[in-house]
Amino acid sequence: MSYLVGLAGSVAAGKSTLAVQLAQKEQALGKTVEVVSTDGFLYPNAELERRGLLARKGFPESYDGAAFADFLDALRAGKSAKVPIYSHQTYDIQSDKQLEIPPSDLVIIEGINALQPDFTAGKLDYKLYLHAEETDLFRWYRERLLRLRHEAKSDPQSYFERFLEFTEAQWEARIKTIWETVNLPNLREHILPTRDLADEVLVKGPDHAMLSQPSTRFLL
């Protein structure tokens, strides 16, 4: 049976980076570790559009909660489990590809909804929440989208290629709109409340430095 650690936090908080760092520390101790992103349980964009949820992508209802729960149950039972692969190049599920997660000593499940009780209640052995101030989160999110749009200039397959026709001012305005109408409401209404469910809250400062480090309580 795999030991399951959930790691939640806002968009742009640095969850993926932290999850990899935690995994590397455990692997250095000789443990088998897998890192899984909850992005793989988002409905494909076509399905989100069919359901009228494309504008609410990232909100809990945009996830296949049943598939997510079944995935966790399989890991808890000591079985291998498959997760769809989400492409950050196309911003969509790769419907023809899945990643198989074998039984492991430790599986870290990271994502904005990793601690949502509707999906994970009673299924995680330890719960972490990565916290940062809203002003810092928006700054990091803005920096990320500016970088992704710039990289799209040399990547015609990028989701952000469609935004190259925007002026810099238009793109800045679009980033602000996405944050204020999607990411910030989702943070305040759905993601931040799961902080109270965490066994441990980790805090990041404005320079990305960790102001608190994970304890060893969740280690095997």
Side-chain angles (χ1 to χ4, degrees):
M1 175 172 127
S2 299
Y3 189 87
L4 306 184
V5 174
L7 171 59
S10 171
V11 168
K15 300 178 298 300
S16 299
T17 299
L18 178 59
V20 170
Q21 292 171 345
L22 293 175
Q24 290 172 340
K25 289 181 180 179
E26 294 301 289
Q27 288 167 337
L29 298 175
K31 295 167 185 168
T32 56
V33 186
E34 297 287 340
V35 176
V36 177
S37 171
T38 62
D39 289 346
F41 296 103
L42 281 161
Y43 287 116
N45 288 347
E47 178 63 14
L48 290 174
E49 188 169 14
R50 187 187 71 81
R51 295 177 179 229
L53 292 173
L54 199 55
R56 289 181 64 81
K57 188 173 182 177
F59 284 75
E61 62 267 29
S62 65
Y63 288 78
D64 188 342
F68 187 14
D70 288 346
F71 172 81
L72 297 177
D73 286 338
L75 293 176
R76 288 187 64 81
K79 302 176 182 178
S80 62
K82 292 183 179 180
V83 56
I85 296 176
Y86 185 82
S87 170
H88 287 275
Q89 180 188 43
T90 63
Y91 265 50
D92 202 357
I93 295 292
Q94 295 179 276
S95 58
D96 59 335
K97 296 182 180 180
Q98 287 191 323
L99 180 66
E100 184 165 355
I101 306 299
S104 306
D105 294 327
L106 172 66
V107 179
I108 301 172
I109 300 102
E110 63 86 11
I112 58 176
N113 287 307
L115 303 187
Q116 283 295 331
D118 287 348
F119 305 153
T120 64
K123 301 180 187 296
L124 299 173
D125 296 294
Y126 201 79
K127 300 181 285 293
L128 297 169
Y129 186 93
L130 182 57
H131 179 79
E133 296 300 318
E134 287 181 3
T135 52
D136 296 324
L137 291 168
F138 172 68
R139 178 164 52 84
W140 300 335
Y141 177 73
R142 172 184 174 273
E143 290 170 353
R144 175 192 290 180
L145 263 63
L146 290 174
R147 173 179 55 81
L148 290 171
R149 179 173 175 267
H150 176 75
E151 292 173 351
K153 294 178 181 179
S154 57
D155 182 6
Q157 300 301 314
S158 170
Y159 172 82
F160 291 90
E161 193 272 340
R162 70 194 67 190
F163 299 115
L164 292 178
E165 62 184 30
F166 282 32
T167 66
E168 296 301 320
Q170 287 173 327
W171 185 228
E172 290 278 6
R174 184 63 170 265
I175 293 172
K176 189 170 185 289
T177 296
I178 296 171
W179 179 259
E180 292 180 346
T181 62
V182 180
N183 293 322
L184 187 57
N186 195 18
L187 171 62
R188 291 175 174 174
E189 297 169 14
H190 300 287
I191 303 169
L192 189 57
T194 67
R195 181 178 62 180
D196 294 336
L197 304 175
D199 297 298
E200 195 170 355
V201 177
L202 309 175
V203 181
K204 286 183 75 174
D207 60 351
H208 285 285
M210 295 295 297
L211 302 182
S212 60
Q213 294 293 331
S215 72
T216 58
R217 285 180 293 163
F218 75 89
L219 306 184
L220 302 177

